Amino acid sequence: MSIPVAPIGRIIKEAGAERVSEDAKKELNAYVVAQAETIAKEAIKYAAMAKRKTVKADDIELAIKNL
C-alpha cells in the first residue's frame, strides 16, 4: 500500500521547504504509511471490542491516543 508521492511533496513544501528530493518524498511516504497501518490495526481492535465491523473516527482517535 502506498500514498501518492505528489501530496507528500506538497506537505513538505507547505511546511516550508523550497525544494524536495524524490528520496525525501519516498522516505516520508514510507513512514506515514507504516504509522497509518499501525493506527488502523489498533483501531480495528477497538471496533471489534465494540462488536462492530465498521471502524469509526472514535476508534482512530482512541488508537492514536493509546499508541
Side-chain angles (χ1 to χ4, degrees), residues 6-56:
I8 297 293
R10 282 194 297 272
I11 290 169
I12 298 170
K13 283 187 174 186
E14 287 175 8
E18 285 188 39
R19 298 175 64 191
V20 183
S21 73
E22 285 300 311
D23 287 345
K25 293 176 196 175
K26 289 177 183 177
E27 192 66 30
L28 182 57
N29 189 354
Y31 177 79
V32 168
V33 168
Q35 287 296 108
E37 287 177 356
T38 300
I39 292 166
K41 287 177 183 177
E42 192 69 17
I44 290 166
K45 290 178 189 175
Y46 292 125
M49 281 191 262
K51 299 185 192 277
R52 287 185 276 105
K53 292 182 180 180
T54 303
V55 175
K56 297 186 175 187

